[in-house]
């Protein structure tokens, strides 16, 4: 399997986008206050897509020794090499220091893809959740499906429920699962289009593990909004996101069995959508307690840059040149 220079150059051309000034101004005001001087270096990465890096998650259901050899030749190395509390041997992900994007594989009915392209920080919620064989798992906001695919690389759940409320994104999720998961295992997966805020009442205490990869301000994509009106509307609606996230989390806690674990994640730097939401949940929900993920952060400190001063049950990945992963916020809770 060979990656041509032509494909790399074509991809680079696509990444030269125009920054949306109204979003940039909004981020400048907010993140200078929340991140201080750190925002300057983070902003330099977020506003320059040519320095972005992409990880390659291998699909264990369609292994390719030739592909792994090609990746090594191109300077890729296995990610997550530290002494992690949870790292299944079946989860294989490759990264490299230099920017550039490997060509994506197109969906072909009846044929499994060999790999999934993603931001390496997207795998941290999966590692934090620590899914084991036989557990009942809920991915509450599952589209486009990358984290669902990653979870299935780690373990074979007893039952895996992938939910996505949005119609278009739900179709995308189904296609992703069909592209990566073989038929026998697909029978263990339920894909639904329920309102995530209602699942807790509909499926009370039904799951051992729940992932809430919540709808959020997607800092990377919002910065390059091509439609000024859409960008302005997004910024207005941004204030309502924390309320939705709180409701989704409260629903997820209801759906979780006592003793079970929940991981909350977003791809934004926003404190209002990250630690503020978790603190509110801990204040109002007496049946959940923080779960320490600081050992995971320590083990990954060579590959990722984390915001300092966070609590033991949370982490925030900050993009920087050479380690352009994130933003990704991860918090873990346990139901008692």
């Amino acid at each position: 399997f060979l990656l041509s220079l032509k494909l790399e150059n074509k991809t680079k051309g696509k990444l030269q986008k125009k920054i949306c000034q109204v979003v940039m101004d909004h981020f400048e005001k907010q993140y200078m206050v929340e991140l201080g001087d750190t925002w300057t270096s983070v902003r330099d990465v977020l506003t320059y897509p040519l320095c972005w890096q992409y990880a390659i998650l291998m699909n264990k259901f369609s292994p390719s020794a030739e592909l792994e050899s090609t990746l090594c030749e191109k300077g890729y190395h296995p990610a997550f090499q530290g002494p992690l509390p949870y790292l299944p041997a079946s989860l294989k992900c490759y990264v490299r220091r230099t920017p550039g994007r490997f060509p994506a594989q197109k969906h072909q009915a009846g044929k499994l893809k060999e790999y999934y392209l993603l931001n390496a920080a997207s795998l941290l919620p999966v590692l934090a959740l620590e899914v084991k064989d036989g557990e009942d798992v809920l991915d509450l906001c599952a589209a486009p499906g990358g984290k669902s695919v990653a979870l299935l690389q780690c373990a074979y759940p007893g039952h895996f429920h992938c939910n996505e409320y949005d119609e278009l994104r739900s179709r995308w999720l189904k296609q992703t699962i069909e592209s990566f998961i073989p038929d026998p295992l697909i029978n263990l997966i339920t894909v639904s289009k329920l309102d995530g805020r209602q699942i807790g009442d509909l499926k009370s205490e039904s799951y051992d593990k729940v992932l809430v990869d919540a709808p959020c301000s997607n800092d990377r994509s919002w910065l390059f909004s091509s439609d000024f009106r859409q960008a302005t509307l997004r910024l207005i609606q941004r204030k309502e996101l924390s309320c939705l996230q709180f409701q989704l989390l409260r629903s997820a806690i209801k759906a979780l069995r006592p003793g079970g674990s929940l991981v909350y994640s977003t791809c934004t730097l926003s404190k209002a959508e990250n630690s503020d939401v978790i603190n509110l949940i801990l204040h109002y929900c007496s049946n959940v307690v923080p779960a320490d993920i600081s050992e995971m952060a320590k083990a990954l400190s060579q590959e990722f840059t984390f915001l300092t001063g966070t609590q033991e049950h949370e982490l925030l990945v900050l993009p920087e040149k050479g380690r352009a992963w994130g933003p990704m916020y991860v918090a873990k809770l346990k139901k008692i």
Side-chain angles (χ1 to χ4, degrees), residues 76-91:
Y76 284 86
H77 62 271
F80 314 122
Q81 298 184 75
L84 279 159
Y86 173 84
L87 183 62
S90 54
L91 181 74

Side-chain angles (χ1 to χ4, degrees), residues 234-291:
R234 278 176 170 172
L235 293 176
I236 293 169
Q237 293 174 337
R238 191 180 203 204
K239 298 172 186 176
E240 302 167 10
L241 280 170
S242 58
C243 180
L244 171 62
Q245 291 155 350
F246 176 83
Q247 291 171 333
L248 289 170
L249 268 174
R250 194 164 54 180
S251 175
I253 291 165
K254 287 181 182 178
L256 196 61
R257 291 173 182 142
S261 299
L262 178 153
V263 167
Y264 172 76
S265 60
T266 74
C267 53
T268 180
L269 298 162
S270 175
K271 182 173 174 287
E273 298 175 52
N274 294 339
S275 55
D276 285 357
V277 173
I278 292 296
N279 290 337
L280 200 62
I281 278 289
L282 289 169
H283 177 76
Y284 281 102
C285 300
S286 58
N287 59 342
V288 287
V289 294

